[in-house]
Amino acid sequence: MTWSADPAFEAGSINVCDLGLCQVRLQDDARFPWLILIPRVAGAVELVDLGRKDQGRLMGEIAQASEAVRALGAHLGRPVEKLNVAAIGNVTAQLHVHVVGRRRDDGLWPDPVWGRGEARRYGDRREELGQTVRDILLPLTPANAGAQMK
Amino acid sequence: MTWSADPAFEAGSINVCDLGLCQVRLQDDARFPWLILIPRVAGAVELVDLGRKDQGRLMGEIAQASEAVRALGAHLGRPVEKLNVAAIGNVTAQLHVHVVGRRRDDGLWPDPVWGRGEARRYGDRREELGQTVRDILLPLTPANAGAQMK
């Protein structure tokens, strides 16, 4: 079984890059700096569907995505005050983890973001912000740690 | 700095047991089989506040709690169809992870559970169900794996 991202992700997010385990997507919603990690493991629905080693890799990539979400919030002039990290999947079952940056003034605080309100699209800034996330994220990957230190 | 659970958890959940890293609490809400893991790490608010090793231990305990939530759902005659796992903390900042068992007929599906509806208390069954979770969870801990196999 080969892996591919569920087409349902296309409507609301853009593919930013691949990390060691996950495809990283930028949620196209200017209300919150918000990344989605999708482990490239065919058939996985629950965190516990991953093997122990992949579970560890996922945790590492959640940490990378957390740093990137904070950097994206700062880049947009809205520094993140709290991270919300969740694997829900009630609508799109394919295993994916949300990493969302929240602020007390974000209009939805303290409620969670899922299934609430309407996305505000990035519009013209979508590709630029995808590139911004890529620029933040790729130097954080272990494979690039050597290059980064040169 | 010594660790203690935020008193805010007392109102809505009961202390079930300690795993290697986390205190495990049963959410006192009969709508969903629902456990909360609170890493016993003073000052931790975000997943990324944990060291790499504790992040790995937390992932292992999420897997144990997932198994326990499924077993609790089955025990209550309502087998879990989907797990929802989340570290939010917008209301109570102390780092904690929710592991919630969901069903399509649970009255809230597909919405997330946080901040929606009113808890339906377990009432008289609270202590009994806490014991049930303890009985499920403790044999799953690596320290007891030997005893379990005897």
Side-chain angles (χ1 to χ4, degrees):
Chain A
M1 191 154 59
T2 42
W3 181 90
S4 61
D6 189 307
F9 290 107
E10 291 293 335
S13 62
I14 63 168
N15 184 351
V16 165
C17 61
D18 276 357
L19 297 178
L21 179 67
C22 297
Q23 178 179 107
V24 184
R25 303 187 68 93
L26 171 65
Q27 184 80 347
D28 188 10
D29 189 342
R31 296 177 300 166
F32 317 99
W34 180 344
L35 298 178
I36 296 176
L37 298 171
I38 315 178
R40 295 187 304 279
V41 175
V45 169
E46 305 286 3
L47 291 174
V48 289
D49 293 340
L50 297 179
R52 184 61 80 102
K53 192 176 161 190
D54 280 345
Q55 287 177 12
R57 292 164 82 196
L58 176 59
M59 189 59 99
E61 295 185 7
I62 288 170
Q64 289 175 248
S66 298
E67 226 176 296
V69 161
R70 281 172 165 166
L72 179 62
H75 176 80
L76 294 167
R78 313 241 323 132
V80 167
E81 295 172 359
K82 184 74 191 71
L83 293 164
N84 288 178
V85 178
I88 301 175
N90 301 347
V91 176
T92 303
Q94 184 176 58
L95 177 61
H96 61 285
V97 177
H98 299 272
V99 182
V100 190
R102 303 297 308 273
R103 293 171 52 92
R104 282 163 189 77
D105 66 359
D106 67 19
L108 216 51
W109 182 274
D111 287 333
V113 299
W114 305 282
R116 308 226 191 192
E118 291 293 316
R120 204 170 68 231
R121 301 295 180 152
Y122 281 121
D124 290 348
R125 298 198 66 184
R126 215 170 79 129
E127 295 306 322
E128 165 215 330
L129 292 174
Q131 186 60 48
T132 300
V133 173
R134 220 168 1 251
D135 291 346
I136 295 163
L137 211 43
L138 291 181
L140 300 177
T141 65
N144 290 310
Q148 199 188 5
M149 287 192 295
K150 269 175 200 162
Chain B
M1 190 157 53
T2 41
W3 181 88
S4 61
D6 189 307
F9 291 107
E10 292 292 335
S13 62
I14 64 166
N15 184 352
V16 165
C17 62
D18 277 357
L19 297 178
L21 179 66
C22 297
Q23 178 178 108
V24 184
R25 303 186 68 93
L26 171 66
Q27 185 79 348
D28 187 11
D29 189 343
R31 295 177 301 165
F32 318 99
W34 181 343
L35 297 179
I36 297 176
L37 298 171
I38 316 178
R40 295 187 306 278
V41 175
V45 169
E46 305 286 4
L47 291 173
V48 289
D49 293 341
L50 296 180
R52 183 61 79 104
K53 192 176 162 194
D54 279 345
Q55 286 177 13
R57 292 164 82 196
L58 176 58
M59 189 59 99
E61 296 185 7
I62 288 170
Q64 289 176 248
S66 297
E67 226 175 296
V69 160
R70 281 172 165 167
L72 179 61
H75 176 80
L76 293 168
R78 312 241 324 132
V80 167
E81 295 172 1
K82 183 73 191 71
L83 293 163
N84 289 178
V85 179
I88 302 175
N90 301 347
V91 176
T92 303
Q94 184 177 57
L95 177 60
H96 60 287
V97 177
H98 300 271
V99 181
V100 190
R102 303 298 306 275
R103 292 172 54 94
R104 282 161 189 79
D105 67 358
D106 67 17
L108 217 50
W109 181 276
D111 288 332
V113 298
W114 305 281
R116 309 223 190 193
E118 293 292 317
R120 203 171 69 232
R121 301 296 179 151
Y122 282 120
D124 289 348
R125 298 197 65 183
R126 216 170 78 129
E127 295 306 322
E128 165 214 331
L129 292 172
Q131 185 60 47
T132 300
V133 173
R134 215 168 6 250
D135 291 346
I136 297 163
L137 211 42
L138 292 181
L140 301 176
T141 64
N144 291 310
Q148 200 186 3
M149 287 190 296
K150 271 176 200 162

